[in-house]
Amino acid sequence: MSELEGKRVFITGSGAGIGKAIATLFTQRGARVVISDIDADAAKKAADEIGAAGVANCDVTDEGQVQAAVKQTVDLLGGLDVLVNNAGIEVSSPLLQQSTESFDKIYAVNVRGPFVAMKAAIGHLIESKGNVVNIASIAGIGGSPLLGSYCATKAALIQMTRVAAVEMRPAGVRVNAVCPGFADTAMVERLVPDFEAATQVPFGDLVAMKQGRLGTPEDIAEVAAFLASDRASWVTGSHYVLDGGLTAS
Ligand code: NAD
């Protein structure tokens, strides 16, 4: 039997990048995945390509939309076993030069988004003894110039993961996070010019020096699949680092 056979899964921000790779691998491993994104065209395209079970779009900053998308998913799949909080945005700015509006925005997506999604999903996850996989970042562990508010949001997500895991353990719901280093997605492409300008080092050299190679969205999907599966039945409250050794050095 495939690792995720029959698991009913909702993934935010899964029209592209890491979320799409997670949706692809989960589907290949037998899960029934509902794609969700703020970008409806990307979501439809990804769902068609992957052969996903359906699409239930939401902007994770809008609690009503998130609740409706979770309900749509549960109506379609007959329940929910796994919530993947993947939607996230980056801001590249020296921390104290960032506008307060932009600071509020990144919190709304990266912290409040997973919070409202977990609240919307928890009743269903208690019913199925399911689990949550939060896509955090090594930026939630170590500080990085230009990524101040992003680092703060990912640290907050790791802490929410821990607390939710402990609080939900008696109900049989696991909550974990993954913390990738730099992976090959549009998000990193957007960051490259600012990083190169700040360090005067070609980004490829920086990556080679710090983490060997760029991660792939598939690297991250593999760990998410393990955490979502019953093989990880004793894993909760954890944050899994996958960064080619960057944070180890
Ligand atoms: P990406 O920008 O390539 O894709 C993000 C997806 O989320 C897009 O499809 C986008 O439309 C969607 N999205 C954005 N705002 C949204 C919102 N408000 N509501 C719903 N969907 C929204 O990014 P990615 O690199 O695939 O990143 C995915 C997750 O992985 C993010 O949480 C990111 O912080 C995290 N992460 C990425 C890296 C990396 O190196 N790429 C490293 C560590 C962590």
Side-chain angles (χ1 to χ4, degrees):
M1 192 162 103
S2 295
E3 181 180 51
L4 297 171
E5 198 66 49
K7 296 269 188 225
R8 299 158 298 182
V9 181
F10 176 71
I11 309 175
T12 66
S14 47
I18 292 167
K20 183 179 170 191
I22 294 172
T24 305
L25 188 70
F26 278 34
T27 302
Q28 286 165 357
R29 301 226 170 131
R32 295 165 65 212
V33 174
V34 168
I35 302 277
S36 182
D37 207 284
I38 194 173
D39 180 339
D41 291 341
K44 186 182 175 329
K45 202 162 158 260
D48 289 347
E49 205 179 301
I50 294 164
V55 174
N57 287 323
C58 65
D59 173 348
V60 298
T61 67
D62 183 324
E63 187 168 18
Q65 284 188 27
V66 173
Q67 288 168 343
V70 168
K71 183 177 182 316
Q72 210 182 322
T73 300
V74 168
D75 288 348
L76 183 73
L77 303 179
L80 186 68
D81 299 294
V82 183
L83 163 68
V84 181
N85 279 313
N86 166 79
I89 58 170
E90 81 290 357
V91 172
S92 161
S93 164
L95 179 62
L96 302 181
Q97 290 169 27
Q98 188 180 346
S99 76
T100 307
E101 291 72 25
S102 144
F103 187 86
D104 286 345
K105 174 76 194 292
I106 193 169
Y107 258 78
V109 179
N110 293 7
V111 182
R112 191 175 176 276
F115 169 68
V116 298
M118 287 195 283
K119 283 214 300 181
I122 195 64
H124 306 290
L125 295 174
I126 289 171
E127 218 168 276
S128 63
K129 303 246 179 294
N131 68 83
V132 180
V133 180
N134 289 321
I135 310 302
S137 169
I138 56 164
I141 299 168
S144 168
L146 296 179
L147 291 179
S149 61
Y150 181 80
C151 290
T153 63
K154 294 301 184 178
L157 184 54
I158 292 169
Q159 287 297 65
M160 281 204 303
T161 300
R162 289 186 171 126
V163 175
V166 171
E167 289 183 352
M168 296 320 299
R169 187 173 48 205
V173 176
R174 298 184 297 108
V175 187
N176 289 293
V178 298
C179 297
F182 290 111
D184 188 9
T185 70
M187 179 181 281
V188 164
E189 260 174 50
R190 290 190 294 269
L191 288 170
V192 167
D194 287 351
F195 268 75
E196 290 190 332
T199 60
Q200 300 295 305
V201 178
F203 189 67
D205 291 356
L206 199 71
V207 165
M209 210 159 56
K210 298 271 191 191
Q211 58 174 51
R213 65 167 171 81
L214 213 50
T216 65
E218 291 73 25
D219 288 326
I220 296 143
E222 279 291 350
V223 178
F226 165 68
L227 291 172
S229 77
D230 296 340
R231 288 197 295 143
S233 65
W234 200 48
V235 182
T236 194
S238 293
H239 58 284
Y240 270 61
V241 171
L242 46 154
D243 66 355
L246 190 157
T247 48
S249 57

